[in-house]
Amino acid sequence: MTKITELIKSGKVLISDGAWGTFLQEKGLQAGECPEIWNISHPDVVYDIARSYIDASADIIETNSFGGNKFKLKNFGLENKVREINLAAARISRKAAGKNKMVMGSIGPTGKIRMMGDVTEDELYEAFREQAMALEEGSADALVIETMSDLDEARIAIKASKENTKCEVICTMTFEKTVNKEFRTMMGVSPSDMAKTLVDAGADIIGANCGNGSKDMISIVKEIRQINKNIPVLIHSNAGLPQYKNGKTVYLENPDEMASNVDELIKAGANIIGGCCGTTPEHISKIANRINPT
Ligand SMILES: [Zn+2]
C-alpha cells in the first residue's frame, strides 16, 4: 500500500475530499440525528457522498465516522456499536475509493476534557483505540484526528492510534481568528503550539480544518512552517465563515474563490488540500484542476 507521506515526499500535492456533515444534512439527515448510524441505516447515501468526491478527483477520502467514538455515540444509546459503525464507515469509503485511492478514517473529539475531570487519560485512550482499530479493520489507510481544540486530547488520540494500528496518523486542529488577528483553538492553542506538540506525539501529518475559509488558512500554514519545515501539512478549509440566513447556516465561499487560494496555500507549505464545512464536490473538483491542470 502506498503511503500518503511517501507520495508527498515524492513532491506530489494531494487532493482530499470536502464536507460530509453539511452534505449529509442536504441528503436528509435531521438535526439531532446521529450521522454515523447512517453507515448502517443509509449506506447507499453515504456511499454516494464518498463516490462523489472520488469522481471530483480526490486522491484521499474520509469516512463518515467523525462522531464515532464511545462518548459521542452514547448520546444516541449507540455506545455498544462503536466497532460496527466504524467498520461500516471505513468499508463504504473503501468501496468508493477502490484500490487506487486512499481512505482516511475520521476521528473527532470526544467532547470530554481531561483537565476538567470529565474523564481519565486511560478512558480517552481506550475510546480512541477502539475507534481507530475498527477503522483500520474496515481498511482505512490512514486516520485523521480532526477538529481538535485541546492539545491533551489530540496527543492521547495520536498515541492510541499509533500504538494500536499500522495506519498513518494525521491530526488537525480548528483555529479561529482572534480580535488581535492571531489564530487560536477554543482552548487557546496556537498553530505553533500545535506543530511542536503533535509532531512530538508522533503525528505523521498535521494541519488545520474547519473554522476558517481558505484565505486565512494560508497564514496558519505559514505559522506551522516557521516551527517545522518538513512535517506534511493538510488543510481542510471551510467554504468561508458560516453565515445565518433565514434560520439556516450557509457557507458562501464559492469553488472558484477557494481554488484561487490554492497556489498560495501550496507556496506556504501545504501538502494535502481539501475542504471542510460547506465545501462540495465542485469545490474539490476546482481545487484539483488548480493542482493538476488538465
Ligand atoms: Zn468544518
Side-chain angles (χ1 to χ4, degrees):
M1 187 68 220
T2 318
K3 293 220 166 214
I4 296 172
T5 47
E6 281 169 15
L7 289 171
I8 291 170
K9 233 181 251 167
S10 77
K12 257 181 91 80
V13 174
L14 300 173
I15 301 141
S16 66
D17 61 1
W20 282 74
T22 47
F23 206 154
L24 278 165
Q25 285 159 17
E26 244 167 62
K27 299 243 184 198
L29 178 78
Q30 298 299 308
E33 201 181 341
C34 174
E36 291 76 24
I37 198 66
W38 276 44
N39 295 317
I40 291 161
S41 62
H42 300 72
D44 297 349
V45 175
V46 179
Y47 174 81
D48 282 348
I49 294 177
R51 189 65 221 176
S52 69
Y53 286 124
I54 292 292
D55 292 342
S57 304
D59 299 305
I60 319 170
I61 56 167
E62 293 204 26
T63 56
N64 178 38
S65 57
F66 177 75
N69 64 72
K70 182 177 75 185
F71 295 106
K72 280 281 166 74
L73 290 179
K74 190 161 191 254
N75 298 330
F76 305 98
L78 295 168
E79 68 273 26
N80 296 322
K81 293 203 180 293
V82 172
R83 178 169 169 271
E84 192 185 333
I85 285 172
N86 285 280
L87 204 52
R91 283 179 176 156
I92 292 169
S93 288
R94 172 51 66 202
K95 188 176 146 203
K99 284 199 182 94
N100 298 323
K101 304 287 174 135
M102 290 169 290
V103 173
M104 51 184 171
S106 171
I107 297 179
T110 58
K112 305 281 173 193
I113 299 172
R114 191 167 69 99
M115 255 171 27
M116 307 292 283
D118 288 351
V119 274
T120 64
E121 173 155 355
D122 286 352
E123 287 167 335
L124 278 179
Y125 182 97
E126 178 52 27
F128 287 124
R129 183 199 62 75
E130 185 184 23
Q131 187 181 9
M133 287 180 74
L135 289 167
E136 182 183 45
E137 190 185 347
S139 72
D141 305 298
L143 300 168
V144 58
I145 299 156
E146 56 184 349
T147 323
M148 287 283 155
S149 57
D150 181 19
L151 269 181
D152 184 57
E153 184 177 26
R155 179 184 61 76
I156 295 166
I158 292 168
K159 193 164 182 261
S161 302
K162 291 295 286 185
E163 289 178 354
N164 297 285
T165 74
K166 292 191 172 65
C167 294
E168 290 185 291
V169 175
I170 304 160
C171 185
T172 64
M173 299 188 88
T174 298
F175 300 96
E176 275 161 33
K177 206 180 196 171
T178 67
V179 285
N180 303 324
K181 300 205 171 5
E182 293 171 328
F183 293 95
R184 293 286 183 274
T185 71
M186 262 179 350
M187 301 288 288
V189 179
S190 70
S192 343
D193 298 336
M194 171 190 79
K196 279 187 217 110
T197 307
L198 300 193
V199 173
D200 286 349
D204 299 296
I205 297 167
I206 64 170
N209 75 291
C210 214
N212 294 281
S214 56
K215 196 158 196 312
D216 280 335
M217 287 295 195
I218 299 166
S219 314
I220 293 174
V221 178
K222 285 182 180 161
E223 188 176 332
I224 294 171
R225 282 288 173 243
Q226 281 176 0
I227 298 293
N228 192 312
K229 300 257 178 291
N230 301 316
I231 188 83
V233 169
L234 175 149
I235 294 297
H236 282 169
S237 323
N238 281 353
L241 294 176
Q243 319 263 341
Y244 301 95
K245 289 217 166 143
N246 307 322
K248 261 185 78 179
T249 306
V250 291
Y251 295 85
L252 301 174
E253 186 173 325
N254 67 44
D256 287 311
E257 230 176 312
M258 189 167 271
S260 74
N261 286 317
V262 161
D263 294 358
E264 273 216 71
L265 273 171
I266 296 171
K267 209 173 123 208
N271 307 99
I272 305 172
I273 300 174
C276 200
C277 302
T279 58
T280 62
E282 205 193 334
H283 287 83
I284 299 308
S285 174
K286 294 267 166 141
I287 290 171
N289 260 328
R290 193 84 191 193
I291 294 176
N292 303 314
T294 43

